[in-house]
Amino acid sequence: MLIQIKDLTKTYQRHNGAINAVDSLSFDIDKGSFITITGPSGSGKTTLLLIIGGLLRPTSGRMIYGGNELNLDSDEEMAIFRSNHIGFVMQSFALVPYLTAVENIMIALNVKNKNKAENRNRAIELLKWVGLDDRTTHYPRELSAGQQQRVAIARALANSPDLLLADEPTGNLDPGLSREILSILSKINKEQKTTIVMVTHSPVAAEYGDVKIHLQEGKLLGHSIMKKVFVS
Amino acid sequence: MRLTDLTLKELWHRKSQLLSGLLAITLGIGVIVGIRSISIVSEKAVSVNLDNLGANILILPQAASVDNYYAADIDAPTFPEEYVEKIVTSTLPGVDNLSPKLTRRIKLGNESVVLTGILPKSEIASKPIWQQGGLKAEQLIASCAPSKTPKKYLDAKLQRKGIDTLANNDCYIGYSIAQRLNLSEGSTLTLQNKEFKVTKILPETGTVDDDRVFANLHEVQSLLGTGEQISAIEIMGCCNEITDGLLGKMRNVLPDTRITTIGQIVSTQIKTNQLMNKLSLVFLIIIVFVGGISIGNYIWANVNERRKEIGILRMIGYQKRHIYNILILKAMIMGLTGGIAGYIIGTVAAVWLGPQFAGISVSPLYILLPVSIAIAIIISVTGSVIPAYMAGKIESFSNMQED
Ligand SMILES: Nc1ncnc2c1ncn2[C@@H]1O[C@H](COP(=O)(O)OP(=O)(O)O)[C@@H](O)[C@H]1O
Ligand SMILES: [Mg+2]
């Protein structure tokens, strides 16, 4: 068991009243699993992913990582948790525009290791792994969407995370490129044993998961499991 | 890729905006450096003038201004030479080294020079800088002891006797005249149709004296046809006596003259300097506010523009303090740049404008460089604290969502 999620709720106050973007969700993330989360737009998928990654503070609920309760209120603790255990891949790639491919990966490595030369070598190695070793000094604008997403994946893997969180990673890509990215994610899951939670609204992409979670209005609607059951 | 590298790359990426962010602080520092460079040189010039003058009391004709005296125009007013004796015989304590002078601007070839008639010993004794140049005079020590003073000047004739040692056809010339007319000691020159031998070229003083030809007072009087008239008496007065009202007592002796202290003459300059210093203080306060606010404003705009980037950094594990560091580092680099640029602009302006507006040549003051940098960094960092703090509050997720 990697992470236990217990009674997570995120309430947003809006001018027309409060809404629970995530509503008393409980489930477990098993080590090595590939979880896909589907659901209509506005069902709370992104909100849930951001909470798991420690980027968003839930209104209530708990998270237990490797048997230890995480202090979701501590900004610093969650930042350290992120840099040690979490990798993010976003729909919009989230690359820094004025840094080259290799530099975008190096800034992630710099959080934990200040040795520039080591970081550069590791970054190049990662780019090689996603098949971009000939694009190391290119800026994001000089890369295609698929290439940008591969840089983002390489960066997400930089600090060898236990958990890779992907929010619609193929949302901006055509079907061909989507398949490429999905197969890379699948390879990460299988070869590196990295746990993956991927939000998608594409049924094809959802098929890559061995656990499929379906959300509606912040609630768990369906939970189909191919290998194991993790409902609490 | 360290935070410094990231900051530098970002600065370079948005370099055009940087210019406007730096404008206020650069100009502000520039103005302060400019004012300080000029006023420090001018303060030095004042103290050099004070030291070189030696004499500190000036007796002028009633109608003359100090400017008249220095300009030595043809029609500059004069007064009778016997006034010297009036002062001497009054036995006022605290008066030493009376030095009567007659000055006129005349043509020497194509050059305009100030012909100055002097009674040499007293002239020399009251000019410390000439003594440094190797001219020895029978030292007349300014003595303020009341018991000695009356005795010393009781016999006016005795006082006057030993003075007249500059031969009638000898002259001393100022340093820059010697340069311009290519004269050396022993050469001759013609003043008002009379030949003079250059007995001495005076060392450079940086004052009007460098443009003067000094000859025997009585010879000059007859050359200019003024009779026994003089333009001024320079006096070395004792400071204590001056504060005890020496000037007033002298005015009683010579009611139809203007008696001023050199202090009053330079005090105008000192006042200007004080004004400049106050002005630079005002500027300092203005740039602290304007520069600080403008950099703060720039950083704030930068933070807003970088919300997404900051979100990305937070996403990959950077803590709030890293975000502060990036922004404060940026502010420091901007302060450094603004400080250096301001120093250069201010120094160049002072060196260029100093001679034109203040009549003094200004050389760069290197000590102002670290001071400028320190001030600029403090201002820009202070101005950036609040925007940086706000940036730490930016939550990553709000920038990641596309829909
Ligand atoms: N910062 C926010 N403030 C207010 N409401 C928000 C905010 N972020 C998301 N929401 C709302 O929460 C709900 C879930 O959003 P989200 O998690 O983005 O859904 P999804 O990713 O499934 O499309 C939506 O109704 C959305 O409008
Ligand atoms: Mg979403």
Side-chain angles (χ1 to χ4, degrees):
Chain A
M1 183 99 54
L2 188 69
I3 298 181
Q4 283 172 277
I5 286 159
K6 295 189 185 263
D7 269 330
L8 275 192
T9 297
K10 177 69 186 179
T11 310
Y12 284 118
Q13 301 297 336
R14 297 201 293 199
H15 60 278
N16 53 354
I19 70 140
N20 289 337
V22 169
D23 200 348
S24 323
L25 278 185
S26 296
F27 65 98
D28 295 345
I29 300 172
D30 198 22
K31 230 177 231 165
S33 59
F34 192 143
I35 301 177
T36 56
I37 301 176
T38 53
S41 187
S43 58
K45 307 181 294 294
T46 299
T47 305
L48 175 61
L49 205 69
L50 294 174
I51 294 172
I52 298 172
L55 282 172
L56 184 59
R57 202 175 289 179
T59 311
S60 62
R62 299 161 56 206
M63 271 173 48
I64 293 142
Y65 175 86
N68 298 317
E69 178 98 34
L70 290 172
N71 181 1
L72 300 174
D73 289 333
S74 162
D75 193 83
E76 191 168 328
E77 195 180 311
M78 292 315 285
I80 294 166
F81 168 72
R82 271 199 299 284
S83 63
N84 285 338
H85 304 293
I86 307 287
F88 280 99
V89 178
M90 309 306 261
Q91 179 175 358
S92 57
F93 320 133
L95 297 175
V96 179
Y98 53 84
L99 298 181
T100 62
V102 76
E103 287 167 347
N104 261 287
I105 298 167
M106 285 167 73
I107 45 162
L109 290 163
N110 181 65
V111 181
K112 290 170 78 174
N113 180 5
K114 303 291 170 207
N115 186 318
K116 242 167 146 175
E118 275 175 34
N119 287 349
R120 180 171 295 275
N121 291 337
R122 166 98 175 120
I124 291 171
E125 196 181 289
L126 286 159
L127 283 174
K128 209 172 272 176
W129 200 84
V130 295
L132 279 180
D133 41 332
D134 56 340
R135 292 285 185 277
T136 53
T137 57
H138 285 57
Y139 286 92
R141 62 172 184 279
E142 299 165 342
L143 298 169
S144 72
Q147 288 168 334
Q148 287 185 55
Q149 194 57 300
R150 280 192 272 167
V151 175
I153 291 170
R155 183 186 60 193
L157 297 176
N159 290 315
S160 311
D162 310 313
L163 178 60
L164 192 71
L165 300 173
D167 191 3
E168 316 237 12
T170 60
N172 283 354
L173 306 175
D174 62 44
L177 286 175
S178 295
R179 261 194 306 281
E180 255 178 47
I181 295 299
L182 289 166
S183 69
I184 292 173
L185 290 176
S186 179
K187 190 173 145 198
I188 292 165
N189 178 245
K190 295 215 169 63
E191 290 181 10
Q192 307 191 0
K193 308 282 176 248
T194 306
T195 310
I196 295 180
V197 175
M198 178 175 77
V199 166
T200 181
H201 55 228
S202 143
V204 180
E207 285 311 309
Y208 281 78
D210 46 33
V211 178
K212 291 173 202 142
I213 289 176
H214 192 73
L215 288 187
Q216 186 128 32
E217 289 176 357
K219 289 196 171 68
L220 209 65
L221 193 75
H223 199 200
S224 61
I225 297 114
M226 292 180 65
K227 295 175 192 161
K228 290 181 194 167
V229 182
F230 296 118
V231 188
S232 54
Chain B
M1 205 29 44
R2 307 218 180 101
L3 293 187
T4 324
D5 303 315
L6 180 86
T7 308
L8 289 173
K9 281 209 104 174
E10 195 273 337
L11 273 168
W12 186 244
H13 178 65
R14 300 195 169 94
K15 51 189 177 300
S16 56
Q17 297 165 18
L18 201 62
L19 235 60
S20 62
L22 280 173
L23 197 68
I25 198 155
T26 305
L27 290 182
I29 295 279
V31 170
I32 293 179
V33 168
I35 292 177
R36 285 303 296 160
S37 301
I38 292 179
S39 69
I40 284 176
V41 172
S42 152
E43 273 162 26
K44 252 189 222 150
V46 168
S47 64
V48 166
N49 279 342
L50 269 179
D51 289 349
N52 287 350
L53 272 164
N56 56 7
I57 299 174
L58 202 54
I59 302 178
L60 298 170
Q62 186 82 63
S65 72
V66 175
D67 284 342
N68 285 154
Y69 171 61
Y70 281 111
D73 294 325
I74 296 293
D75 53 352
T78 57
F79 58 85
E81 191 185 343
E82 64 178 298
Y83 281 20
V84 176
E85 270 164 63
K86 278 196 185 176
I87 290 282
V88 172
T89 52
S90 70
T91 68
L92 283 171
V95 176
D96 252 321
N97 283 345
L98 282 83
S99 172
K101 280 184 172 175
L102 176 63
T103 58
R104 274 288 181 279
R105 189 168 286 279
I106 59 162
K107 282 274 174 201
L108 180 55
N110 290 328
E111 298 287 335
S112 155
V113 299
V114 178
L115 176 60
T116 305
I118 53 164
L119 295 178
K121 264 192 186 162
S122 57
E123 181 78 41
I124 290 161
S126 64
K127 295 238 178 229
I129 196 156
W130 289 2
Q131 291 166 8
Q132 286 162 29
L135 284 171
K136 284 276 174 281
E138 195 180 297
Q139 198 73 35
L140 294 171
I141 298 149
S143 158
C144 300
S147 59
K148 274 199 227 157
T149 317
K151 225 185 288 164
K152 202 169 171 185
Y153 292 113
L154 265 181
D155 187 353
K157 293 279 178 252
L158 196 74
Q159 161 77 5
R160 299 279 298 277
K161 222 170 94 189
I163 291 169
D164 211 346
T165 53
L166 186 59
N168 280 352
N169 54 355
D170 283 350
C171 70
Y172 291 177
I173 61 172
Y175 183 80
S176 69
I177 292 183
Q179 295 281 306
R180 278 187 282 141
L181 296 176
N182 201 14
L183 294 168
S184 56
E185 281 172 23
S187 34
T188 56
L189 55 87
T190 308
L191 297 166
Q192 309 284 99
N193 301 323
K194 184 180 171 7
E195 254 197 17
F196 283 83
K197 195 174 126 222
V198 178
T199 22
K200 182 82 193 171
I201 292 168
L202 298 165
E204 191 171 13
T205 61
T207 66
V208 280
D209 287 347
D210 291 347
D211 276 324
R212 286 181 196 259
V213 173
F214 293 91
N216 185 283
L217 175 64
H218 299 131
E219 187 61 33
V220 172
Q221 282 170 341
S222 75
L223 271 182
L224 296 173
T226 57
E228 293 218 330
Q229 292 280 313
I230 52 174
S231 327
I233 306 172
E234 286 183 1
I235 296 175
M236 205 143 93
C238 284
C239 297
N240 289 343
E241 313 291 344
I242 292 174
T243 49
D244 282 356
L246 177 62
L247 262 55
K249 290 173 197 160
M250 288 170 70
R251 281 183 193 120
N252 287 338
V253 177
L254 301 174
D256 59 339
T257 56
R258 253 173 67 94
I259 303 178
T260 77
T261 58
I262 301 294
Q264 280 167 355
I265 300 166
V266 292
S267 77
T268 324
Q269 187 58 51
I270 288 170
K271 270 188 200 128
T272 312
N273 290 340
Q274 282 170 345
L275 188 76
M276 298 258 271
N277 285 339
K278 267 188 204 142
L279 207 65
S280 54
L281 193 72
V282 169
F283 263 105
L284 185 66
I285 293 166
I286 292 173
I287 67 151
V288 165
F289 280 96
V290 176
I293 289 169
S294 99
I295 290 214
N297 188 53
Y298 166 81
I299 294 281
W300 179 234
N302 185 241
V303 163
N304 279 315
E305 191 176 10
R306 294 171 77 179
R307 291 188 91 86
K308 195 169 170 191
E309 258 168 72
I310 292 167
I312 293 169
L313 295 177
R314 301 280 283 135
M315 185 183 88
I316 59 181
Y318 283 85
Q319 297 168 33
K320 277 182 185 174
R321 65 184 169 89
H322 294 123
I323 307 298
Y324 301 146
N325 289 350
I326 289 172
L327 292 166
I328 296 300
L329 188 66
K330 174 160 179 164
M332 286 174 76
I333 294 170
M334 289 181 71
L336 180 75
T337 317
I340 293 173
Y343 171 79
I344 292 171
I345 290 174
T347 301
V348 167
V351 168
W352 187 48
L353 297 175
Q356 296 182 38
F357 288 95
I360 45 176
S361 65
V362 180
S363 46
L365 276 170
Y366 299 108
I367 180 69
L368 290 183
L369 178 61
V371 176
S372 305
I373 292 173
I375 291 175
I377 289 180
I378 290 169
I379 291 171
S380 69
V381 168
T382 311
S384 307
V385 166
I386 294 172
Y389 176 77
M390 302 302 280
K393 286 203 172 313
I394 290 177
E395 290 181 89
S396 182
F397 67 91
S398 57
N399 317 294
M400 294 299 142
Q401 288 185 329
E402 301 292 281
D403 38 36

